[in-house]
Amino acid sequence: MLATVIHAARDIRLDEVPDPVLAGGRDAIVRVVAACVCGSDLWPYRGITPTAEPHRIGHEFVGVVEAVGDEVDLVQVGDFVIAPFYVCDNTCVNCRNGVSTSCLHGSWWGGDDRFGGFADGAQGERVRVPLADGTLVVVPGPVADDEIPGLLTLADVMGTGHHAAVSAGVREGSTVAVVGDGAVGLCAVIAARRLGASTVIAMSRHRDRQDLAREFGATHIVADRGDLGVTAVREITGGIGADCVLECVGTKESMDQALRSARPGGMVGYVGVPNGGPELPVRRLFNTNVGVNGGVAPVRGYIEELLPDVRSGAISPGRVFDLELPLADVAEAYAAMDERRAIKVLLRP
Amino acid sequence: MLATVIHAARDIRLDEVPDPVLAGGRDAIVRVVAACVCGSDLWPYRGITPTAEPHRIGHEFVGVVEAVGDEVDLVQVGDFVIAPFYVCDNTCVNCRNGVSTSCLHGSWWGGDDRFGGFADGAQGERVRVPLADGTLVVVPGPVADDEIPGLLTLADVMGTGHHAAVSAGVREGSTVAVVGDGAVGLCAVIAARRLGASTVIAMSRHRDRQDLAREFGATHIVADRGDLGVTAVREITGGIGADCVLECVGTKESMDQALRSARPGGMVGYVGVPNGGPELPVRRLFNTNVGVNGGVAPVRGYIEELLPDVRSGAISPGRVFDLELPLADVAEAYAAMDERRAIKVLLRP
């Protein structure tokens, strides 16, 4: 079959690779209907994370089950499924605590699983899914083609934006600032409104993303950054800063912006993968009682909660996909995201 | 009058100073009935925080109101009052948000207040209290002498331990580890039990403090630190770590102990004054979804909630005072705490 392999920085290829086969009784084989490129895929693409040797890439997909092992109970051949961006059993104590990204038996796409097998990357034609009963969520059919983008966001970005909001404690009437206007930041705007925020400030300098943030429910746009950005957020929030700040980038600058945009006693929910830091300035946090909560989003546990709102159209996170390409053009998909020509690219095998 | 002045590291004196007088309509003058020495007073005592010039010290006291300005409404001459370790108006937006330590008009004992006057340190015979209506909490009389230690803990350590527990989200059934066996750590044990924790692990290497922790409701004692301490906490908590960790020291080692003792998705509530760091390791927090929340404790807002339980004897935080001295012996009070001969020293003018 064909699957995406990163060979080196800016060297993305669709290569012929072995077809996946059931390696254990708890596996499933899923034919990929749609996959996508994640902001975090750009770290190796840009060479910020080194690529020592060629490896499979991609971790967001939806598809149709083609085969299941004899210990799989909850997933059947023919089911339309959403896979979160990681593998989990959904039954261990960490999963039960809502932290399935720390599943005691989990693993990551594109790497070896805990049982010695290889878990395919998601940007390919088929994927072997370990721990299929825990990992996959069945979407009751029929699934219309125009539902695909929205469902695909539940594999990562919509659940990750939601995790930022949940981690920051967004609730009815909260004032919220969102740092980052990528797909996760835009989904965080949706999540904040969905949880009842009365004020949602999207920090964005790009007109098209500002417009989408407004459509998603942002009440204010702040284009300034640094001191001016902090001042603008304070002006909107009665002079003190936001109750909740959702950090959806992961750089030193974005985290600093987030910490300084929170009011005394406020909470920063962060989901941007911190790339080489920054370490958090504990004394400043201490003096103002600003908390920091979040991390790699346990989206598996959010899919059931968010799915009805996606299917009913109450929220439209699928709109973050502003470019759709065939899998054959995966190299162009990376380039379009790298050059910010696209917010997020959907790939169809 | 007499009041405590720190002249340099390990040079604590009871000096003759001017009597305080009402400087504004919102002031009160309080005769100190009892004051105490705080763990944070030991930073300048030990020279870790430099003392550039002699200054007044102490920030915890209870006493009786001797005079009030003509704009004071809630406090009357003769009232027995508790003062938190800072000055606040209890009405600004930050106070209303429960973060009175960030009061827009507040200040600190022993320094200049926001109106240009001097706020006495608390280890003296009398104190001028700015913003008396906001700062002081009246204890309905009569107040028995044996109530004094418990009431005095509401000025700082009991409210601070409570803040650690609240910040970490302790609730019914939580597993909790407390790092630090000083007065705040011991009060954090009380607070965790009071909020319903089912497991409370006190990390302590001192037999007398272990015993007090058990009396306060600790279900387990862990004497190990570092990797062994983390392992011991995990063994007690089903292999994963504690839901909530209360960091009550403020050193790099204690924060590291706390972060590593939390389960994935757990929360560290911290109230130990971070002395020169550490910066928090964001990537490790991200990978495990461990949050960090807390800071300088807004104890003013907790006094009304905790007072009934202190007066009824439901909780006995006053037991952290294991040495009582006359104010004249304040230098010995500092030495006893510095040398760990006492957990916390109560001073009577």
Side-chain angles (χ1 to χ4, degrees), chain B residues 6 22 62 67 92 96 102 151 165 179 196 202 250 273 278 299 309 319 347:
Chain B
I6 182 166
L22 296 174
V62 295
C92 81
R96 292 198 309 277
S102 292
L151 297 175
V179 179
V273 183
V299 301
D309 283 1
R319 297 207 52 218
L347 294 165

Side-chain angles (χ1 to χ4, degrees), chain B residues 152-174:
Chain B
L152 183 56
T153 66
L154 295 178
D156 187 342
V157 289
M158 183 60 221
T160 296
H162 179 68
H163 186 58
V166 169
S167 298
V170 175
R171 54 184 179 152
E172 200 70 34
S174 295

Side-chain angles (χ1 to χ4, degrees), chain B residues 136-156:
Chain B
L136 299 173
V137 178
V138 175
V139 181
V143 174
D145 194 67
D146 63 4
E147 289 191 274
I148 302 289
L151 297 175
L152 183 56
T153 66
L154 295 178
D156 187 342

Side-chain angles (χ1 to χ4, degrees), chain B residues 280-315:
Chain B
L280 303 176
V282 69
R283 184 64 197 233
R284 201 172 72 204
L285 297 173
F286 181 87
N287 288 344
T288 55
N289 272 281
V290 168
V292 176
N293 193 27
V296 55
V299 301
R300 169 64 186 83
Y302 296 137
I303 295 176
E304 284 95 340
E305 176 185 349
L306 297 171
L307 184 58
D309 283 1
V310 171
R311 298 203 85 179
S312 73
I315 59 175

Side-chain angles (χ1 to χ4, degrees), chain A residues 57-119:
Chain A
I57 192 166
H59 52 256
E60 295 157 80
F61 68 101
V62 295
V64 173
V65 178
E66 289 197 330
V68 296
D70 55 13
E71 295 168 55
V72 173
D73 292 324
L74 305 176
V75 176
Q76 296 184 320
V77 171
D79 282 345
F80 188 97
V81 291
I82 301 169
F85 63 84
Y86 54 91
V87 170
C88 64
D89 66 11
N90 208 32
T91 57
C92 80
V93 62
N94 287 334
C95 286
R96 292 197 309 276
N97 279 332
V99 201
S100 50
T101 39
S102 291
C103 175
L104 296 176
H105 310 108
S107 57
W108 307 96
W109 302 114
D112 290 337
D113 73 18
R114 301 265 178 113
F115 310 104
F118 173 80

Side-chain angles (χ1 to χ4, degrees), chain A residues 18-24 27-29 67 118 120 126-129:
Chain A
D19 281 336
V21 294
L22 296 173
D27 287 358
I29 304 297
F118 173 80
D120 301 83
R126 282 177 181 72
V127 173
R128 181 181 74 85
V129 179

Side-chain angles (χ1 to χ4, degrees), chain A residues 93 97 99 102 163 240 263-265 267 270-274 278-283 285-287 289 291-296, chain B residues 93 97 99 102 163 240 263-265 267 270-274 278-283 285-287 289 291-296:
Chain A
V93 62
N97 279 332
V99 201
S102 291
H163 187 56
I240 55 172
R263 68 160 170 83
M267 180 68 84
Y270 74 113
V271 292
V273 183
E279 306 305 57
L280 303 175
V282 69
R283 184 64 196 232
L285 297 173
F286 181 87
N287 288 346
N289 273 280
V292 176
N293 193 28
V296 55
Chain B
V93 61
N97 280 332
V99 201
S102 292
H163 186 58
I240 54 170
R263 69 161 169 83
M267 181 68 85
Y270 75 113
V271 292
V273 183
E279 305 305 55
L280 303 176
V282 69
R283 184 64 197 233
L285 297 173
F286 181 87
N287 288 344
N289 272 281
V292 176
N293 193 27
V296 55

